[in-house]
Amino acid sequence: IMKKKLAKVLTAGVMTFCMVGCSSTTTEVIKAGTILENPKDNLTSAERNNLRSKVIADQMWKNYYDEELNGAINYYPYKDDTEEIASVWHFTSILSLYIKLVKNNPNDAELKRKLNTVLEASSGYMADVYDDNMWIAREFLNAYETLNDESLLTKCEETIEYCLTGWDSSINSDTGAEWGGIYWGPDYLSKHACSNGPIISTLVRLSKINPDKVVNGRTYLQWAKDVYDFGLKTFKMSNDLYGDMIGTEKS
């Protein structure tokens, strides 16, 4: 019995189907359309992509941001259930989006209004796990650098200080040194790559703004080094990939 195998090859603008038999090969080429050239609108790629990003963001705002609630929703069309309100993870993505849009469009009053709306809501989206708060702190710092608003730097520093309270300062009796590492959250016994890695770059950036500031006994730069060293020692495996966690989730 002759066996046949269907191989699909998708190329830029052309889809090719190959039927492979015992002694012969038949190839049928089906045109799937060509990739359109950029329109001749006298815009650079950066300018065109900026316009496209604003169109996408505007539609996202209409569908997923409730200004009366001042928060993000999970579904469009609306789905009435307990998962309706977006998590801090999704909310932080919206915050990041509008910071970047305002950075690229500093004179756009409507984008600034939306960014300020999201920033106003941000205090209601603090998470009960440290890793999400690390992302929020990063975006507060990005917003500070974009808007030059000192209150945003303060929010960043306060959020980072909260995250650092999750550091395990208990002493390893075998080594006499700290166990180290940031727990996943106040109620957890596990330490994760995701609850240590995300804070490092923000700590380094803060060290350049306030190099001598001491938080919980250490400067920002010393914290960055200690968290980095812990992550490298704890999560990096022999194949140069990183593991996820140590410990147990909850007591």
Side-chain angles (χ1 to χ4, degrees), residues 76-161:
Y76 179 80
Y78 179 80
K79 183 177 178 181
D80 188 10
D81 66 12
T82 56
E83 300 297 323
E84 182 59 38
I85 304 301
S87 70
V88 64
W89 189 270
H90 305 118
F91 183 84
T92 308
S93 297
I94 295 173
L95 177 57
S96 177
L97 167 65
Y98 277 92
I99 292 169
K100 289 180 174 65
L101 285 169
V102 170
K103 184 176 181 179
N104 289 337
N105 303 274
N107 298 319
D108 191 315
E110 179 62 7
L111 288 178
K112 279 188 178 180
R113 184 192 72 79
K114 289 177 178 177
L115 173 55
N116 285 321
T117 297
V118 179
L119 284 167
E120 183 181 336
S122 61
S123 59
Y125 274 88
M126 302 302 283
D128 59 356
V129 287
Y130 294 123
D131 58 321
D132 286 358
N133 288 298
M134 293 174 187
W135 298 120
I136 293 174
R138 180 196 66 184
E139 295 311 323
F140 282 149
L141 185 55
N142 288 337
Y144 160 70
E145 292 176 347
T146 300
L147 300 174
N148 197 29
D149 182 341
E150 288 290 331
S151 69
L152 296 170
L153 177 59
T154 299
K155 284 185 176 182
C156 172
E157 292 182 317
E158 290 174 348
T159 307
I160 287 293
E161 184 173 353

Side-chain angles (χ1 to χ4, degrees), residues 20-232:
V20 182
C22 292
S23 58
S24 64
T25 300
T26 302
T27 302
E28 180 183 2
V29 178
I30 302 174
K31 293 287 186 180
T34 58
I35 298 175
L36 293 176
E37 294 181 357
N38 281 325
K40 296 179 179 179
D41 51 16
N42 297 318
L43 297 176
T44 65
S45 294
E47 290 169 337
R48 189 177 300 107
N49 288 333
N50 182 52
L51 287 175
R52 289 169 175 167
S53 68
K54 289 198 287 186
V55 170
I56 294 170
D58 185 58
Q59 192 63 46
M60 182 281 301
W61 187 269
K62 290 176 182 176
N63 291 346
Y64 294 101
Y65 203 88
D66 188 325
E67 291 204 52
E68 184 176 347
L69 175 69
N70 202 7
I73 57 176
N74 264 337
Y75 305 111
Y76 179 80
Y78 179 80
K79 183 177 178 181
D80 188 10
D81 66 12
T82 56
E83 300 297 323
E84 182 59 38
I85 304 301
S87 70
V88 64
W89 189 270
H90 305 118
F91 183 84
T92 308
S93 297
I94 295 173
L95 177 57
S96 177
L97 167 65
Y98 277 92
I99 292 169
K100 289 180 174 65
L101 285 169
V102 170
K103 184 176 181 179
N104 289 337
N105 303 274
N107 298 319
D108 191 315
E110 179 62 7
L111 288 178
K112 279 188 178 180
R113 184 192 72 79
K114 289 177 178 177
L115 173 55
N116 285 321
T117 297
V118 179
L119 284 167
E120 183 181 336
S122 61
S123 59
Y125 274 88
M126 302 302 283
D128 59 356
V129 287
Y130 294 123
D131 58 321
D132 286 358
N133 288 298
M134 293 174 187
W135 298 120
I136 293 174
R138 180 196 66 184
E139 295 311 323
F140 282 149
L141 185 55
N142 288 337
Y144 160 70
E145 292 176 347
T146 300
L147 300 174
N148 197 29
D149 182 341
E150 288 290 331
S151 69
L152 296 170
L153 177 59
T154 299
K155 284 185 176 182
C156 172
E157 292 182 317
E158 290 174 348
T159 307
I160 287 293
E161 184 173 353
Y162 169 69
C163 292
L164 291 175
T165 63
W167 179 261
D168 183 3
S169 59
S170 61
I171 302 300
N172 180 340
S173 58
D174 293 332
T175 65
E178 288 182 320
W179 281 104
I182 299 173
Y183 289 104
W184 193 17
D187 299 323
Y188 291 85
L189 298 177
S190 57
K191 301 169 188 174
H192 297 253
C194 73
S195 64
N196 286 269
I199 200 173
I200 297 170
S201 64
T202 303
L203 286 167
V204 172
R205 291 165 66 189
L206 287 174
S207 75
K208 295 178 179 179
I209 298 171
N210 290 314
D212 300 321
K213 183 169 182 175
V214 175
V215 178
N216 298 349
R218 297 168 221 196
T219 64
Y220 287 128
L221 188 58
Q222 188 59 57
W223 273 119
K225 291 177 179 178
D226 289 345
V227 178
Y228 177 83
D229 288 342
F230 172 82
L232 202 65

